[in-house]
Amino acid sequence: MDLTGLFAISLGAILTNNFIFAQFLGICPFLGVSKKSDTAVGMGLAVTFVMGLASAFCYGVNIILVKLGLEYMQTVAFILVIASLVQFVEMFLKKAIPTLYTALGVYLPLITTNCAVLGVALLNVQNNYNFIESVVYGITGGLGFLLAIFLFANVRERVQFSDYPKSFEGFPIALVTAGLMALAFMGFSGLQVW
Amino acid sequence: MNIKKQLKEGLITQNPVLVQLLGMCSAMAISTSISNGLGMGVSVTIILTLSNIIIALLRKIIPNEVRIACYIVVIAGFVTIVDLMLQAFLPDIAASLGVFIPLIVVNCIILGRAEAFASKNTVAAAAVDGICQGIGYTVVLLIMCTVRELLGNGTLMGYQIMPESYTPALMMVLPVGGFICLGVLIAVMQWALNRPKKEKEGK
């Protein structure tokens, strides 16, 4: 296995091509669940987990689809796989870790409609990643999401107490903050693995 | 039928992007040029209208417990159709929109309207709602595209608009521009929606 290649994928997914700040995937939960840093971390972890699992399962599903010549059914098949995975994770967490389950609450089923999850499955196919690369991309993409949402939640807790124009209250100021963070993340774009 | 009221809701008071804050991923990601914005806006409008119609038709048959899964399958079906059509007839736009066309499946606008409107209303009302919300989304996309293309590239629809001496603010085409542009737009919207209320209170 080519370790440098995997490292390059991870670095790209976490920093240079961060799902939130560079690819605009998963903005809804990013803005919705970032009011407090501890729920943000819970959400980030759940998303990482589902993204890793979804990459693995969708890789298998894609092989079957290609064999049957049904590539055009990708979108439908992937979203069904993801929806059932999320349902499964939900049932598992309810039994095994009830505290995390209640903390995540309504956001857990919402992972189904998180575009980062479907996005990672589709990007894996587009980039022709093999099984290990797909899973690594899924997990590190999730870690990138976790990093972004954690940093953002912390900044947002501070922003609440600062002065800004009245009409910027709520989402607008959050978006401007996210924009400035995206600017900071752009600084990573020079990073390369030789 | 109160088409006028629904149109006003879609465009202003219940605008999907600026007021309901749905579908922001795609709005920020593809609003770098007007042709992209138009392609995306029209695709979303078509899918939204068709899936609203189907879901309104099936609203009495779909069991409540599995409704979200049913909605997603209906939406995914239409997204696949539009995706294949775009690849066949408008390959340039399909290439520049890339992964965001299949991602319309998880665009919260469509699922949100299915849940909030189509599942409770008649077919005709749902169809009108789909068109109005779609127009609201497209208009916001076009505003963002115009601002970002003009400032970031100095062009509109590919034609040079700004004088030669203008240095394009590259920042606006990059993700940063998307976040800040949408933030400012929502702020303007909040300001505009709150203003008349205050005047009334003053009286």
Side-chain angles (χ1 to χ4, degrees), chain B residues 40-156:
Chain B
M40 188 71 180
V42 171
S43 315
V44 168
T45 310
I46 293 172
I47 295 169
L48 185 57
T49 312
L50 291 177
S51 60
N52 259 4
I53 292 175
I54 295 290
I55 288 165
L57 272 176
L58 297 175
R59 71 184 187 281
K60 295 211 173 90
I61 306 170
I62 296 175
N64 203 29
E65 296 82 26
V66 289
R67 62 183 196 286
I68 302 286
C70 296
Y71 298 163
I72 287 185
V73 174
V74 171
I75 297 166
F78 284 119
V79 170
T80 310
I81 296 172
V82 168
D83 187 16
L84 294 176
M85 298 274 267
L86 274 181
Q87 279 176 24
F89 296 111
L90 297 167
D92 293 342
I93 290 186
S96 66
L97 292 178
V99 76
F100 282 94
I101 288 288
L103 281 180
I104 297 178
V105 179
V106 284
N107 190 322
C108 344
I109 294 178
I110 299 175
L111 199 60
R113 289 324 281 178
E115 170 81 10
F117 197 90
S119 59
K120 298 185 190 95
N121 285 283
T122 57
V123 177
V128 174
D129 177 71
I131 296 174
C132 295
Q133 295 282 331
I135 293 175
Y137 175 76
T138 313
V139 167
V140 174
L141 270 190
L142 287 181
I143 296 174
M144 284 185 69
C145 291
T146 315
V147 172
R148 288 180 72 186
E149 197 181 333
L150 193 62
L151 293 182
N153 241 342
T155 59
L156 276 182

Side-chain angles (χ1 to χ4, degrees), chain A residues 20-28 30-31 72-73 75-76 79-80 83 112-116 118-119 122-123 126 166-176 178-180 182-183 186, chain B residues 21-26 28-30 69 72-73 76-77 79-80 83-84 98-100 102-103 105-108 111 148 171 174-176 178-180 182-184 186-188 190-191 198:
Chain A
I20 301 235
F21 292 132
Q23 305 195 45
F24 286 119
L25 294 170
I27 302 283
C28 304
F30 175 69
L31 291 171
Y72 59 87
M73 290 297 282
T75 319
V76 182
I79 192 74
L80 284 177
T112 314
T113 51
N114 183 338
C115 28
L118 186 61
L122 292 165
L123 286 173
Q126 250 178 33
K166 188 88 181 65
S167 47
F168 272 85
E169 203 173 326
F171 272 90
I173 193 71
L175 279 169
V176 173
L180 294 178
L183 194 62
M186 253 171 60
Chain B
L21 305 168
L22 299 173
M24 287 185 288
C25 310
S26 55
M28 283 189 270
I30 53 91
I72 287 185
V73 174
V79 170
T80 310
D83 187 16
L84 294 176
V99 76
F100 282 94
L103 281 180
V105 179
V106 284
N107 190 322
C108 344
L111 199 60
R148 288 180 72 186
M171 188 189 93
L174 293 170
V176 192
F179 279 112
I180 292 178
L182 188 58
V184 172
I186 296 177
V188 170
Q190 286 191 351
W191 176 77
K198 272 180 198 157

Side-chain angles (χ1 to χ4, degrees), chain A residues 116-192:
Chain A
V117 182
L118 186 61
V120 82
L122 292 165
L123 286 173
N124 278 334
V125 176
Q126 250 178 33
N127 297 346
N128 276 325
Y129 284 154
N130 65 27
F131 182 72
I132 297 178
E133 283 170 343
S134 299
V135 176
V136 167
Y137 191 56
I139 293 175
T140 49
L143 288 178
F145 179 83
L146 176 64
L147 178 72
I149 200 171
F150 175 66
L151 291 175
F152 184 57
N154 279 312
V155 174
R156 226 177 143 180
E157 282 176 353
R158 294 279 179 103
V159 168
Q160 272 189 332
F161 300 108
S162 41
D163 283 333
Y164 44 79
K166 188 88 181 65
S167 47
F168 272 85
E169 203 173 326
F171 272 90
I173 193 71
L175 279 169
V176 173
T177 315
L180 294 178
M181 290 180 69
L183 194 62
F185 263 70
M186 253 171 60
F188 291 119
S189 61
L191 278 181
Q192 262 179 343

